[in-house]
């Protein structure tokens, strides 16, 4: 979960991710209209990538999606993911020990527009 607190530690809002990651990476992307997109993925597992668009002023979630991983069973795994805004689209690139996927989402709705996948 992401939270926003005041300087006196009063909780203002909580924004949940669809799944929990033990050793997580991710980023915050500020959009032109003031909304934020937060991403989350597991560094040591084939977690896929969770993304959520929300208003940072009040924590209202506009959309939340989960970009499915490669469905790889593993004992040792390395995973990195990055998201970039390209016009009215969000491009999510996930690179792991067993392959790569690129998922393109509609920035306004989070709807999946395309997905490509390449196994190693």
């Amino acid at each position: 979960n992401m939270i926003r607190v005041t300087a006196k530690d009063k909780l203002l809002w909580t924004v949940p991710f669809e799944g929990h990651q033990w050793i997580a990476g991710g980023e915050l992307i500020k959009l032109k209209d003031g909304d934020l997109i937060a991403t989350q993925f597991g560094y040591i597992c084939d977690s896929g990538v969770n993304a959520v668009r929300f208003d940072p002023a009040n924590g209202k979630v506009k959309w939340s999606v989960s970009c499915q991983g490669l469905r790889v069973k593993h004992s040792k795994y390395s995973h990195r993911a990055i998201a970039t805004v390209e016009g009215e689209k969000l491009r999510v690139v996930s690179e792991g020990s067993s392959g790569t996927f690129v998922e393109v989402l509609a920035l306004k709705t989070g709807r999946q527009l395309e997905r490509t996948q390449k196994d190693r």
Side-chain angles (χ1 to χ4, degrees):
N1 289 342
M2 293 170 289
I3 62 170
R4 182 174 181 186
V5 296
T6 66
K8 294 185 178 185
D9 290 332
K10 179 183 173 191
L11 179 65
L12 294 176
W13 51 253
T14 300
V15 173
F17 278 110
E18 286 190 27
H20 169 74
Q21 295 301 326
W22 180 56
I23 298 177
E27 62 189 312
L28 286 173
I29 301 169
K30 187 173 181 177
L31 302 177
K32 291 178 185 177
D33 66 1
D35 282 357
L36 292 176
I37 293 180
T39 62
Q40 174 202 46
F41 65 93
Y43 276 119
I44 61 169
C45 62
D46 177 32
S47 64
V49 180
N50 296 314
V52 60
R53 179 177 179 166
F54 66 98
D55 181 336
N58 58 22
K60 181 181 176 188
V61 173
K62 307 272 177 88
W63 53 258
S64 179
V65 299
S66 182
C67 302
Q68 186 176 66
L70 300 172
R71 297 183 183 195
V72 175
K73 292 185 180 190
H74 51 79
S75 59
K76 293 181 180 179
Y77 200 83
S78 176
H79 182 211
R80 298 286 186 264
I82 188 163
T84 55
V85 174
E86 298 175 357
E88 294 300 314
K89 298 176 183 177
L90 180 70
R91 179 177 301 277
V92 178
V93 179
S94 170
E95 296 181 5
S97 298
S98 296
T100 300
F101 74 78
V102 177
E103 195 158 315
V104 179
L105 307 171
L107 193 58
K108 190 171 189 172
T109 65
R111 183 176 59 89
Q112 183 189 64
L113 301 173
E114 65 181 85
R115 179 180 169 105
T116 57
Q117 182 173 316
K118 181 178 179 184
D119 298 333
R120 291 183 196 237

